[in-house]
Amino acid sequence: MPRTIRITRSHKLATAVLVAAGSVTAIAATGGQSDAQPAAAKTSIAAEKVAGVSTAKEAAAKKAAQETAAKKAADAAAAKKAVAERKAAAEKAVADRKAEAKKSAEKARSEKQAANRSTERKAVAAPKQYKNNLDGWIRESLDIMKKKNIPGSYEGLHRNIMRESSGNPNAVNDWDINAQNGIPSKGLLQVIQPTFDAYHVNGTPKKLTDPVANITAAANYAADKYGSIDNVDSAY
């Protein structure tokens, strides 16, 4: 019959001490690897954190550089746009001034042409008026002579008229050879009828004693014979 062994409280305590001692020995034999592994893991995590911080800083610096470059480019583009806008505004102002000047010139030219046409219409509608005296007759004759290219001046006409008739349009010479031949000299410049008929100027009355017709015909005759009435200083 097998022997029965009774496990007492003392036996249990002794066994517990032996197990604990064995655990300590086992841990010592492994060289504390259980504690070393968490330390290595912590070192690796720290290194990874440092690397991550460095990468984040580089990314931030790169982003900042990109933003700075983008801002510079935007500022340059804005400045270029502003210059272009100022140039366009200046060119537009110049163009506007030129257009306004052209418009003003055209308006002035149009107004001048209208004024000229008005003056011409008035001239046609209202012929130039001359006084009915010696001064008026001479001036009217001079205007006709100018249109007909007949030379002569106010002084030349006036000087000869005063010598020939003293300014009397109805003066008649009834004593010289012409009078004796039946063709007396008449009018301001003492013209005989045949000479008046030969040198009468169109546009004047066909009347020998008409002041303007007499002066103009005599000036026409003198121009043909002497070059101009201005060259006549005596009977002609």
Side-chain angles (χ1 to χ4, degrees):
M1 179 176 183
R3 184 182 177 183
T4 302
I5 299 175
R6 184 178 178 181
I7 302 300
T8 66
R9 176 177 176 83
S10 297
H11 291 143
K12 291 180 179 180
L13 290 173
T15 301
V17 170
L18 290 173
V19 170
S23 297
V24 170
T25 302
I27 291 170
T30 59
Q33 289 180 359
S34 295
D35 291 337
Q37 287 179 353
K42 289 180 180 180
T43 302
S44 176
I45 291 170
E48 289 177 357
K49 285 183 178 180
V50 171
V53 170
S54 177
T55 303
K57 286 183 178 180
E58 290 177 358
K62 184 176 180 181
K63 182 179 180 181
Q66 290 174 343
E67 289 176 350
T68 300
K71 186 176 183 303
K72 287 183 178 180
D75 290 344
K80 185 176 181 181
K81 182 180 179 182
V83 170
E85 289 176 348
R86 288 195 295 270
K87 182 179 179 182
E91 291 175 348
K92 184 178 183 300
V94 171
D96 289 344
R97 287 196 296 271
K98 286 183 178 179
E100 186 63 27
K102 183 178 179 181
K103 184 178 179 181
S104 297
E106 290 176 349
K107 182 180 179 181
R109 183 166 52 252
S110 178
E111 290 175 349
K112 183 178 180 180
Q113 290 173 346
N116 290 339
R117 287 193 294 270
S118 177
T119 301
E120 290 172 357
R121 286 194 296 271
K122 288 180 180 179
V124 172
K128 186 176 180 180
Q129 299 296 313
Y130 301 93
K131 294 180 180 180
N132 189 28
N133 57 24
L134 181 58
D135 178 74
W137 300 331
I138 292 174
R139 293 186 185 284
E140 185 174 356
S141 295
L142 285 170
D143 285 345
I144 295 171
M145 290 164 59
K146 184 178 180 180
K147 292 177 182 179
K148 302 294 183 178
N149 295 317
I150 300 171
S153 67
Y154 186 100
E155 186 278 330
L157 291 173
H158 187 271
R159 171 167 44 81
N160 282 286
I161 287 171
M162 296 309 293
R163 187 189 67 251
E164 293 292 333
S165 66
S166 299
N168 181 5
N170 296 313
V172 178
N173 185 324
D174 57 5
W175 53 268
D176 66 4
I177 187 64
N178 291 319
Q180 294 174 18
N181 291 331
I183 48 172
S185 301
K186 297 181 180 180
L188 291 171
L189 282 170
Q190 293 293 285
V191 182
I192 61 175
Q193 191 66 51
T195 300
F196 178 81
D197 294 339
Y199 290 94
H200 172 261
V201 177
N202 291 332
T204 63
K206 288 187 176 182
K207 182 181 179 182
L208 178 59
T209 57
D210 178 85
V212 175
N214 187 280
I215 293 173
T216 311
N220 194 23
Y221 167 77
D224 183 41
K225 299 299 181 181
Y226 306 102
S228 171
I229 189 71
D230 294 348
N231 298 329
V232 178
D233 291 306
S234 61
Y236 61 109

